[in-house]
Amino acid sequence: MKQSQNMQKALEKQVLPKLIADGFTGKFPHYRKFYSDRIELISFPSYKYGNAFYVLASVAYPNREKDERNINYSFFEGNIDELAADDCPLRYVLKGNFGELFYYTDVYITYICGLMYQGVSEDRAKTYKRKWYEIRVQKADENIYEKVCGQVNKKLPKVYRWWNKMSKK
């Protein structure tokens, strides 16, 4: 099984049941909770360079005037039941274990041209030769998926506080 599949499986086992118990519905990676005046949204999109994901939250107000709904209609044309957090311009990105990202692999930090993190996949790690300017800051092992889920669960209350603040707008 690939690392991304293992991470998704761990999220579905350790993080998503709490959201589903709280009334969220959907299919990985997008979930939503419907209220009479708003829809709370949360997504777990993969990082485009792999080996990481981020947690993106938003809220939409479908009963308001079109320009006050927090829905980007130039990209979203679908059913409101399929709305995702990235369809909304006002978003909250949960702080990850490295910047905004939750890496689930070996991670190296580089200080050339600013601070950068580089994830090295499980397959690539077997032959990876660290460059002189890189420092490994995370070593993936068989417990990495549970550790990352623990980090997400620990930080998830920040998303709930943001939603609560947005519910009063």
Side-chain angles (χ1 to χ4, degrees), residues 3 51 97-98 103-108 119-123 125 136-145 147-148:
Q3 281 183 302
N51 305 311
N97 56 358
F98 297 101
Y103 277 97
Y104 46 87
T105 190
D106 287 1
V107 178
Y108 292 84
V120 177
S121 71
E122 187 175 50
D123 291 337
R136 187 171 63 198
V137 292
Q138 176 173 284
K139 172 74 174 145
D141 60 20
E142 65 276 352
N143 299 316
I144 192 71
Y145 309 108
K147 288 177 189 174
V148 171

Side-chain angles (χ1 to χ4, degrees), residues 27-121:
K27 189 172 114 180
F28 192 84
H30 307 294
Y31 297 87
R32 56 203 64 78
K33 183 175 181 179
F34 293 89
Y35 292 87
S36 61
D37 63 336
R38 69 189 184 284
I39 304 168
E40 292 177 349
L41 306 153
I42 189 164
S43 296
F44 301 85
S46 296
Y47 180 49
K48 66 181 176 180
Y49 298 111
N51 305 311
F53 67 95
Y54 52 101
V55 179
L56 182 64
S58 192
V59 61
Y61 309 96
N63 300 332
R64 294 186 181 176
E65 296 294 323
K66 190 171 183 174
D67 60 340
E68 296 176 4
R69 292 181 183 168
N70 192 35
I71 299 172
N72 187 343
Y73 285 101
S74 51
F75 297 110
F76 179 75
E77 299 174 5
N79 183 339
I80 203 79
D81 293 332
E82 297 172 2
L83 188 67
D86 48 5
D87 294 320
C88 303
L90 179 61
R91 307 171 186 163
Y92 178 84
V93 180
L94 190 62
K95 186 174 179 354
N97 56 358
F98 297 101
E100 295 178 341
L101 298 170
F102 290 92
Y103 277 97
Y104 46 87
T105 190
D106 287 1
V107 178
Y108 292 84
I109 192 169
T110 302
Y111 288 105
I112 293 180
C113 299
L115 178 69
M116 292 175 44
Y117 297 105
Q118 177 182 345
V120 177
S121 71

